[in-house]
Amino acid sequence: MTSTAKPPLSVALLTLGCARNDVDSEELAGRLAADGFALVDDPEAADTVVVNTCGFVDAAKKDSIDTLLAASDLKSSGRAQAVVAVGCLAERYGEQLADSLPEADAVLGFDDYVDIGDRLRSILAGDRPHPHTPRDRRLLLPISPVERQAVDAGAAPVAGVSGTRARLDSGPMAPLKLANGCDRRCTFCAIPMFRGSFVSRRPSEVLDEARWLAGEGVKELFLVSENSTSYGKDLGDLRLLETLLPELAAVDGIERVRVSYLQPAETRPGLIEAIATTPGVAPYFDLSFQHASATVLRRMRRFGDPESFLGLLEQARTLAPAAGVRSNVIVGFPGETEEEFQTLCDFLVAARMDVTGVFGYSDEDGTEAETFDGKLDEDEINARVQHVTDLVGELNAQRAAERIGEQVLVLVEDLAPEDADAGMVEGRAAHQGPEVDGTTRLRGADGSPVTDIAVGDLVAAVVVDSDGVDLIAEIPEGRR
């Protein structure tokens, strides 16, 4: 008599939101693979669908709920037996999400990540765990260097930290998490409440993961956190990122290192110099200005003004004239006057940024700004958003056009981009971050087809045209 071994349980991970969520999903995937689960790309071929949700703004919340509902439909039309919500929306709303979305079989919080395999097996067996109960995660972890030993020993859970990771994307770029959480108390932002206090990863852990990613074929490391300028402060060394960047750039196989999310008020001259001048580090400044009016920024519990922000940009561009700059701004914050709004617009004109994201203010549950007086009418907010969107669209396109004639190094990511002329390939130059900063399409000299190039190659070319924030560049004859 022979016995047939049961196939491993399969799981599909669907990820929404930012690059930090991408890392969390790959850490979950690593834990599940190590625990005997089979990872599949197609949710229709999975026993369990895990949706890593985003809880940042209303549009992201809606996308997360829509994805959970679509995944739940697979229980009647496909193989799926269970749909599980994890991630920021699940952590932030827990029981409330479970009550409003009975189609999900479970809502798990960050603390469940450590035992995710056991949790999924239990759910597949018919158990329905009590939904995660939200709490203010800022109260869970010490943040002083003296108290970090307890954290490192595992005395308290840290969202997204596992030391185990399995790649879910085969592209030549990968996010690499520097830290988790945030200690700032911006009045409009709920992230610290559900992501917790700022906790840096040890440099050795970051370097080990960078080497592993290089071994997986990664060429560009995209360093992510809620506030990269704070890296190392809880380890007793606020300048740790400046010393870590050259080490990451020196990892065998890594061609480019990119830093994301810099807090302007914490961006020090030494960090600007390290980003602008370290070989292998992209001269790329993702500066979260949010506004330019000093009075609006104070109400946001942030700091700065047009002069200090333009001074930061001047420092960066003095060291690296072709440096890339991106930012996000919030329009229509409570009490924003016409004069304050004009200050923002004037700053954007002077800043000459490559990409600017524009968000209209909306209340976020549990934030201080939710209680503020002076809320603007929704129609007025929408009108201001449209005005700034149109303005930065023109400004960003002008900045791209200014790059015509520049030599760029392009990381090739797509050999057959949609809507491209035959023979063109697509990638990103040093000033273009992944997904949100535009792309560069490559063609041969005099418009000839590109040959002998593979995904992951870093190719030198000269910019010959622009389309919005996107560039077209030619590879000089006889060069790659």
Side-chain angles (χ1 to χ4, degrees):
M1 183 175 180
T2 60
S3 61
T4 303
K6 288 184 178 180
L9 294 170
S10 58
V11 58
L13 281 150
L14 306 181
T15 307
L16 296 99
C18 65
R20 298 181 291 278
N21 254 19
D22 292 336
V23 178
D24 287 353
S25 284
E26 293 195 345
E27 290 176 349
L28 287 169
R31 289 185 181 277
L32 289 166
D35 201 12
F37 282 77
L39 304 175
V40 297
D41 295 328
D42 184 0
E44 293 189 4
D47 297 311
T48 306
V49 181
V50 176
V51 180
N52 190 354
T53 60
C54 179
F56 181 43
V57 294
D58 286 343
K61 297 172 191 173
K62 182 179 183 304
D63 286 346
S64 295
I65 291 171
D66 288 346
T67 302
L68 284 163
L69 289 171
S72 296
D73 289 342
L74 298 178
K75 289 188 289 184
S76 58
S77 64
R79 174 175 174 173
Q81 302 171 48
V83 172
V84 178
V86 300
C88 292
L89 191 70
E91 176 68 32
R92 185 176 180 184
Y93 292 104
E95 296 160 310
Q96 182 181 342
L97 178 63
D99 289 343
S100 62
L101 198 71
E103 293 87 349
D105 297 280
V107 175
L108 304 181
F110 293 146
D111 295 343
D112 292 303
Y113 286 13
V114 175
D115 300 312
I116 188 65
D118 289 342
R119 296 289 187 274
L120 295 191
R121 287 192 182 90
S122 174
I123 294 163
L124 285 168
D127 293 340
R128 292 296 175 263
H130 188 275
H132 161 70
T133 301
R135 49 185 170 167
D136 189 340
R137 296 192 71 88
R138 292 172 297 185
L139 307 177
L140 299 182
L141 286 172
I143 59 174
S144 69
V146 172
E147 295 173 303
R148 272 304 301 270
Q149 287 186 345
V151 175
D152 293 334
V158 182
V161 174
S162 72
T164 302
R165 182 173 175 180
R167 290 211 74 198
L168 298 173
D169 186 341
S170 59
M173 182 283 302
L176 175 56
K177 192 179 289 187
L178 287 173
N180 294 275
C182 183
D183 291 335
R184 300 193 68 87
R185 296 295 181 264
C186 301
T187 58
F188 57 85
C189 183
I191 288 175
M193 287 187 287
F194 57 85
R195 276 286 180 180
S197 295
F198 188 89
V199 179
S200 301
R201 299 178 70 194
R202 293 282 180 184
S204 57
E205 184 182 346
V206 176
L207 283 164
D208 284 345
E209 190 164 316
R211 296 185 187 103
W212 176 78
L213 288 168
E216 294 288 307
V218 170
K219 301 296 184 181
E220 178 178 313
L221 300 175
F222 185 43
L223 306 184
V224 299
S225 72
E226 274 74 25
N227 178 7
S228 297
T229 40
S230 284
Y231 179 70
K233 73 174 185 179
D234 53 324
L235 298 174
D237 185 357
L238 190 55
R239 291 174 173 79
L240 200 54
L241 185 54
E242 287 96 307
T243 60
L244 181 61
L245 285 174
E247 294 184 76
L248 288 169
V251 170
D252 189 29
I254 296 301
E255 300 283 354
R256 189 156 68 195
V257 178
R258 184 184 305 276
V259 184
S260 73
Y261 207 88
L262 303 173
Q263 165 60 242
E266 297 179 22
T267 303
R268 48 206 174 270
L271 181 57
I272 293 174
E273 182 177 3
I275 293 173
T277 65
T278 302
V281 175
Y284 173 83
F285 293 86
D286 176 13
L287 290 157
S288 176
F289 290 125
Q290 302 297 357
H291 210 279
S293 164
T295 47
V296 172
L297 287 165
R298 281 198 293 273
R299 293 199 296 276
M300 291 179 169
R301 200 170 290 136
R302 297 173 70 89
F303 304 94
D305 52 49
E307 291 74 23
S308 63
F309 290 167
L310 292 173
L312 275 179
L313 298 180
E314 182 180 3
Q315 291 176 51
R317 287 167 172 158
T318 297
L319 294 167
V325 180
R326 83 166 326 273
S327 189
N328 295 313
V329 296
I330 297 174
V331 177
F333 192 76
E336 182 188 64
T337 65
E338 289 283 355
E339 182 179 1
E340 292 167 335
F341 177 68
Q342 188 60 48
T343 296
L344 172 62
C345 294
D346 292 344
F347 165 73
L348 293 171
V349 172
R352 294 172 48 249
M353 291 187 282
D354 292 276
V355 175
T356 312
V358 182
F359 295 88
Y361 173 80
S362 61
D363 287 336
E364 282 294 310
D365 296 339
T367 61
E368 187 176 349
E370 187 182 23
T371 68
F372 285 0
D373 295 329
K375 301 285 178 61
L376 274 67
D377 180 83
E378 185 176 352
D379 289 342
E380 177 63 24
I381 293 176
N382 291 338
R384 294 187 184 189
V385 167
Q386 189 60 56
H387 179 85
V388 176
T389 299
D390 292 343
L391 175 64
V392 299
E394 181 179 348
L395 294 169
N396 296 162
Q398 290 174 3
R399 180 69 187 115
E402 290 173 0
R403 293 190 179 276
I404 293 174
E406 281 187 10
Q407 179 168 307
V408 290
L409 283 174
V410 178
L411 179 70
V412 176
E413 295 182 308
D414 190 348
L415 299 181
E418 293 183 7
D419 303 323
D421 293 339
M424 296 183 79
V425 302
E426 188 173 81
R428 290 178 295 105
H431 71 279
Q432 295 171 319
E435 297 187 2
V436 293
D437 289 351
T439 62
T440 298
R441 288 182 173 176
L442 295 173
R443 66 191 187 198
D446 300 319
S448 60
V450 174
T451 59
D452 260 348
I453 283 180
V455 169
D457 285 349
L458 203 62
V459 180
V462 176
V463 179
V464 297
D465 201 358
S466 64
D467 180 9
V469 297
D470 298 323
L471 302 179
I472 296 174
E474 286 190 355
I475 306 169
E477 190 172 356
R479 295 181 60 187
R480 278 259 326 258

